[in-house]
Amino acid sequence: MITNQDIAKIVEKYDQKKIAIGTLGSHSSLNIFKGAKEEGFRTVCICKEKDAIMYKKYPLVDELIIVKDFTELLNEQIQEKLRKLNVVLIPHGSFTAYLSTEELTDSLFVPMFGNRQLLKWEANRKSQEDWLRQAGLRLPATFKTPEDIDRLVIAKLPGAKGGRGYFLAISPKAFHKKFKELVQRGLLKEEDLASIHLQEYALGVNVYPSYFSSIVKDDVELLAMDRRYESAVDSIGKIPAAEQLEIEVNPTYTVVGNFPIVLRESLLPEMMRMGDNVHKKAKELAPPGIIGPFCLETVITDDLKIFTFEISARIVAGTNVGIGTSPYAYLKYGENMYMGKRIAMEIKEARTQGKLLDILA
Ligand code: AMP
Ligand code: AMP
């Protein structure tokens, strides 16, 4: 486990006037780089050859490091290069998608804007649930075994990408029938049964509020809100029920894009309390709590109950809908504020106040 002392030693050698903001070339990198440039930072992008076109068309990157595979971020030569460039890494979804939690906590000796300790809480479904429940959030009920199913549940496989292999079931009998079918079709394996997570299906609409936890200002700001455009689930309704049955359609949830949304205003106070409480609990679990962006994945039902089924303790790509401005960022900061810029602003303020070590891990 890389400690705060390890990071402090690295930051000590940094030329603080020349700090650069770096990240993997994917997910929310344009958002992050635009914000960094607007706040006067140099930018460094670790990128695959095939994606370099993005940074030619949108020239936001000062230093492009081409890799074959994102795991090369762990190579000593690349880490050394990043440290020489005084890089602060901004973690996003591609970090956790292409690198393991252990690699991020044990092998990446480059300062990150975020709390490495929290990665462990986030990565494990059970500990993540404990964190959110202890923060007072409402979570969908979970069921220990299929025999306990007494309502509509969503069966989730650990590490399932885009909900592939997720399925819905209304009773123990329906569960076993579906499970058998999916095994026969080669989508699941018999041994998956033991690791399936059974969660109450909250029937409602998805809302993803994004917050920014400022250590410098000791405040949690509600900055953005989005919902996802998911294939195939968002298109199933386009075909009639008869054909749905014939093709034995099973919803998958591969993210293709995001929509901005504004929430019914009477729901905002609860959303704000939820953000505050999640950070407060994180402070107890792993001080100083969440550093920077985080997002709650929620479903809101028709009786206006907010169910949270996941947290991302980092920038989510849904904040890309707010590049430039968004209603919630506008309410707090006026024009031209968005997550990438808010991150850069925090790093700048921490540097001015001599508090860089408080926000890096
Ligand atoms: P990528 O680098 O595009 O492969 O994405 C890395 C991870 O972030 C994957 O787990 C994606 O599902 C997730 N992701 C990428 N883009 C979005 C998006 N626009 N909204 C939500 N999640 C996303
Ligand atoms: P995940 O892979 O956990 O992000 O879930 C994929 C999709 O499944 C989400 O975008 C939601 O639309 C849906 N989902 C996950 N958990 C629940 C739940 N408990 N109730 C209703 N929908 C859910």
Side-chain angles (χ1 to χ4, degrees):
M1 181 85 206
I2 299 172
T3 63
N4 285 349
Q5 285 89 329
D6 296 325
I7 296 300
K9 269 191 212 146
I10 298 168
V11 177
E12 241 167 55
K13 293 193 196 127
Y14 269 25
D15 182 345
Q16 293 205 0
K17 291 190 292 299
K18 290 193 183 153
I19 281 187
I21 286 186
T23 198
L24 295 174
S26 184
H27 188 269
S28 46
S29 68
L30 295 168
N31 186 346
I32 293 166
F33 291 138
K34 182 67 181 171
K37 294 308 285 177
E38 290 202 305
E39 290 296 305
F41 288 102
R42 282 181 63 74
T43 53
V44 180
C45 178
I46 303 102
C47 166
K48 294 183 205 157
E49 183 83 60
K50 69 172 176 60
D51 300 327
I53 181 172
M54 267 204 302
Y55 309 101
K56 288 204 186 82
K57 300 277 187 190
Y58 300 124
L60 299 168
V61 169
D62 297 305
E63 187 94 27
L64 208 55
I65 301 176
I66 300 288
V67 293
K68 285 211 168 61
D69 187 291
F70 282 148
T71 54
E72 282 180 51
L73 179 62
L74 302 169
N75 288 3
E76 186 41 43
Q77 302 93 297
I78 292 198
Q79 295 197 30
E80 179 59 25
K81 179 158 186 188
L82 294 174
R83 290 190 295 263
K84 280 227 170 75
L85 290 166
N86 307 293
V87 164
V88 168
L89 284 175
I90 314 298
H92 55 53
S94 304
F95 283 68
T96 39
Y98 304 109
L99 301 169
S100 69
T101 310
E102 288 71 33
E103 286 168 335
L104 291 170
T105 54
D106 301 347
S107 311
L108 185 56
F109 286 86
V110 181
M112 272 184 5
F113 177 67
N115 186 341
R116 270 183 225 242
Q117 315 279 341
L118 279 180
L119 275 171
K120 288 223 173 87
W121 284 89
E122 194 192 321
N124 176 291
R125 204 162 246 153
K126 178 76 181 63
S127 57
Q128 188 184 111
E129 270 190 28
D130 288 346
W131 170 12
L132 297 177
R133 277 190 211 284
Q134 285 173 30
L137 270 53
R138 181 183 291 112
L139 271 68
T142 54
F143 299 87
K144 282 213 176 73
T145 76
E147 277 54 49
D148 297 338
I149 297 173
D150 64 359
R151 65 194 89 172
L152 188 64
V153 300
I154 179 165
K156 300 181 174 187
L157 225 59
K161 289 262 183 313
R164 207 165 280 278
Y166 283 13
F167 62 96
L168 305 184
I170 185 78
S171 65
K173 199 171 148 215
F175 174 91
H176 289 295
K177 183 165 173 274
K178 270 243 172 104
F179 183 77
K180 226 164 122 188
E181 273 168 24
L182 289 167
V183 171
Q184 276 161 4
R185 286 166 59 193
L187 291 170
L188 289 178
K189 294 198 207 79
E190 204 63 64
E191 60 264 32
D192 288 333
L193 187 60
S195 54
I196 280 185
H197 181 74
L198 299 170
Q199 198 174 61
E200 169 183 15
Y201 187 85
L203 184 64
V205 295
N206 287 115
V207 176
Y208 295 75
S210 272
Y211 306 84
F212 187 89
S213 163
S214 168
I215 300 296
V216 173
K217 291 190 178 167
D218 190 19
D219 193 19
V220 174
E221 303 165 1
L222 179 64
L223 272 197
M225 220 173 285
D226 75 289
R227 73 178 181 92
R228 294 177 178 174
Y229 200 26
E230 294 166 329
S231 196
V233 71
D234 286 326
S235 52
I236 287 173
K238 288 184 189 168
I239 55 174
E243 277 71 26
Q244 288 183 28
L245 288 173
E246 248 171 61
I247 61 173
E248 292 183 51
V249 70
N250 226 329
T252 46
Y253 303 86
T254 302
V255 175
V256 177
N258 310 75
F259 302 95
I261 70 163
V262 282
L263 202 64
R264 183 167 168 169
E265 196 170 289
S266 50
L267 289 165
L268 277 183
E270 187 177 348
M271 280 293 188
M272 289 167 172
R273 278 190 290 272
M274 287 162 60
D276 283 354
N277 291 340
V278 165
H279 172 56
K280 203 164 128 200
K281 188 70 213 171
K283 252 188 197 169
E284 287 170 31
L285 299 175
I290 304 174
I291 299 173
F294 68 102
C295 175
L296 298 175
E297 310 193 356
T298 76
V299 175
I300 306 184
T301 56
D302 61 0
D303 52 358
L304 298 181
K305 287 202 173 89
I306 305 176
F307 286 89
T308 305
F309 60 90
E310 212 168 310
I311 182 172
S312 297
R314 48 152 177 92
I315 184 170
V316 296
T319 62
N320 293 346
V321 300
I323 295 175
T325 195
S326 75
Y328 296 108
Y330 183 86
L331 290 168
K332 174 88 182 161
Y333 287 102
E335 273 164 19
N336 198 26
M337 183 54 68
Y338 49 97
M339 202 55 90
K341 185 165 172 175
R342 185 65 190 86
I343 291 170
M345 203 173 109
E346 181 86 352
I347 296 174
K348 210 157 113 179
E349 278 181 16
R351 175 174 63 184
T352 308
Q353 297 183 21
K355 287 184 178 167
L356 264 185
L357 287 178
D358 295 354
I359 61 158
L360 301 180

